[in-house]
Amino acid sequence: MNTDKQNKLQFQVEAGGKLSGKIEVPGDKSMSHRSVMFGAMAHGITEVSGFLEGEDALHTLQAFEQMGVIIERPGAGKLTIHGKGVEALRSPAQPIYHGNAGTGMRLLFGLLAGLRIPATLTGDESLSRRPMSRIVDPIKAMGAQVSTAEHGMPPLTLHGGDQLKGIEYSTPMASAQVKSCILLAGLHAKGKTIVHEPGVTRDHTERMLRGFGVEVQSKGLRVELDGEQQLTATSLHVPGDISSAAFFLVGAAMIPGSTLTINNVGLNPTRRGVVDILRLMGAEIEESNKRETGGELVADLHVTGAQLKGIDVPHELVSLAIDEFPALFVAAASAVGTTVVSGAEELRVKETDRIQVMTDGLRSLGVDITDTPDGARIVGGSIQGGTVDSSGDHRTAMSFAMAALISSGPITVLDCDNVATSFPDFVALAAGSGLRVSESRSG
Ligand code: S3P
C-alpha cells in the first residue's frame, strides 16, 4: 500500500456516459487465495489458470514462497505450484506480510495453526485494525498457542506446540473467513471439526478442498470434516470475480441505453446476491452459456440498462452480496424510491467501515442517505459532482467512480491505490467500456 499522502492514486471521472461492449473481469480473489494455499499443501503439481494477479492474492503466493514452495508463473494468470505436501513447508524466517488481505491472513492463520508451523502474520494499516478474535478464539480452543497485539489485533503469532484437537463450533457471525480458518485448522487436527453458521457464506473452501481430494460434508448451515487428511494436486480454472463484475453490472444496469456483456463470471450460489438484488431493483440481467468448471458455476452476463427502483433488500440476500454493497449503494442512489439495507453490520469491519465511507461520500455528492448500525436508507435521486474519499478501500473507490455515470458534474475519487489489491486494470477496462475515467497521482 502506498502510505505517502502526497503521492496517492486518484481517479478523475467525467460525468455521464454509458457502458457497452464485451468484457472479462480478473479472476476471483477468494478462489485465487485458496488455489495457492491448497496447491502448496498438496502432493504433486497443481496448475492454476485465471489466477488474480492482484496484490492481495500475490501476498498469499509470496507467503508460500517464504515457506519454501516453488511456484512458477508461466504466463498471465497461470501458476504451476510444485506441492511437496505439508511436511515440506518451512517455518518462515521473517513475518508474513499480507498487505490489505483479510482472507490471506485469516485463512493462513488456521492453516498454519493446524500444521503447528511457528509464524507471525502482519498486514497494512487497515488489516492491522481488523477484528481477529473471531479466528483467534476458536483456534485457541483447538489447542493452539497464539499471541496477538492488543484487543486480539494483528500481528498474530503462532508458537507451534501440540497437535490441535477438532472442534464443534458455532460462529457468532456469518463469515466465510472464520469458517474457512477453522476448517483449515481442522484439516490437520485430531478428530472431527464441525462448524455451524448463523447464515449462508461463500463455500469456495469446501468446493475447492473436494477438488483436492479432501472429504468435506456440508448440510444446510453445518460443515464437517475429519482431521489428518491429505491433499492431492489438481488443475483448476479460476473464473472472473463477481465482486469485480459488480461495478460494471451496476454501471450498466442503472443507465438506460447501456448494453454490456461480461463473460466468464463465477456465479456460485453463495456469491450471486448482487445479480438477484439488482433484478429486484428492476435490472435486466441475462445469464447465458452456464457451465461448471472445477466445481464452480460460471456464466456470461448480459446487462441492459433500465431505470432502477428502490427496494428493501431481503435479509437472506445480504451475506450473498456482502462485498457488493458499496456498488449497490450507488445503484440505490440512481433508483426511483428508497432502498433500505439492514442486517449488514459486517460491512463495518471490512477493509474500511463501508457503511460510513459510502454514506459520507454519497452524502457529499448530494445523495439523501442515512446510515444505521447495520445498513443504510438511501433515497434515489440526482447526484452532483465533487470529491470523495475512498479511504483506501478498493471497493468504495471503484463504486464512487461508477457514480459519475449518474452525476451532473465530474467526480474525483481520492486514495485509490488499493484498487490494485483486487482489480489491477480497472481504469483501462472501465475506460474501454465507456466510463470517462482517468487516473493521476496527487502531489
Ligand atoms: C471472503 C469472505 C468474505 C468477503 C471477503 C472474502 C473469503 O468475508 O467479505 O472479501 O474469501 O472467504 P467474510 O469472512 O465476512 O464472509
Side-chain angles (χ1 to χ4, degrees), residues 136-370:
V136 170
D137 294 349
I139 295 302
K140 273 187 174 169
M142 294 173 84
Q145 292 169 29
V146 179
S147 45
T148 71
E150 259 191 329
H151 310 300
M153 303 271 178
L156 307 178
T157 299
L158 290 158
H159 300 286
D162 296 336
Q163 186 178 22
L164 302 191
K165 290 184 296 294
I167 191 174
E168 178 159 8
Y169 192 78
S170 295
T171 59
M173 70 292 293
S175 163
Q177 293 175 353
V178 175
K179 169 181 65 179
S180 301
C181 171
I182 299 168
L183 290 176
L184 293 178
L187 202 51
H188 294 96
K190 218 171 183 42
K192 247 183 217 326
T193 290
I194 303 169
V195 181
H196 301 272
E197 294 196 280
V200 178
T201 64
R202 64 192 67 194
D203 64 355
H204 303 301
T205 296
E206 298 89 305
R207 286 172 190 259
M208 204 182 285
L209 280 177
R210 289 186 194 111
F212 280 86
V214 173
E215 283 191 29
V216 187
Q217 289 84 36
S218 311
K219 195 163 184 232
L221 297 173
R222 177 186 201 274
V223 195
E224 167 180 343
L225 53 70
D226 281 328
E228 304 178 281
Q229 297 197 56
Q230 293 206 343
L231 282 74
T232 308
T234 186
S235 288
L236 65 108
H237 177 70
V238 177
D241 196 329
I242 190 165
S243 299
S244 297
F247 308 107
F248 290 86
L249 285 175
V250 164
M254 67 185 178
I255 307 291
S258 298
T259 49
L260 184 74
T261 299
I262 315 174
N263 286 328
N264 185 37
V265 181
L267 265 195
N268 178 309
T270 61
R271 294 285 299 284
R272 53 166 297 127
V274 63
V275 172
D276 297 326
I277 292 169
L278 282 172
R279 280 194 182 137
L280 291 174
M281 296 177 79
E284 292 174 28
I285 305 174
E286 273 172 43
E287 298 164 31
S288 64
N289 193 15
K290 286 191 201 167
R291 55 216 186 261
E292 205 184 294
T293 43
E296 293 280 355
L297 284 174
V298 181
D300 300 335
L301 299 178
H302 184 71
V303 196
T304 308
Q307 173 63 63
L308 300 182
K309 60 177 196 293
I311 58 164
D312 282 4
V313 175
H315 274 192
E316 66 276 15
L317 293 180
V318 168
S319 67
L320 313 188
I322 196 68
D323 289 344
E324 288 66 74
F325 279 100
L328 286 167
F329 277 27
V330 173
S334 82
V336 171
T338 300
T339 296
V340 178
V341 178
S342 57
E345 59 278 0
E346 279 295 302
L347 290 175
R348 293 205 179 269
V349 290
K350 296 295 178 187
E351 285 83 330
T352 56
D353 175 342
R354 287 182 173 155
I355 294 176
Q356 196 63 52
V357 172
M358 290 308 298
T359 300
D360 292 347
L362 289 176
R363 190 177 286 149
S364 77
L365 299 175
V367 177
D368 178 355
I369 175 167
T370 315

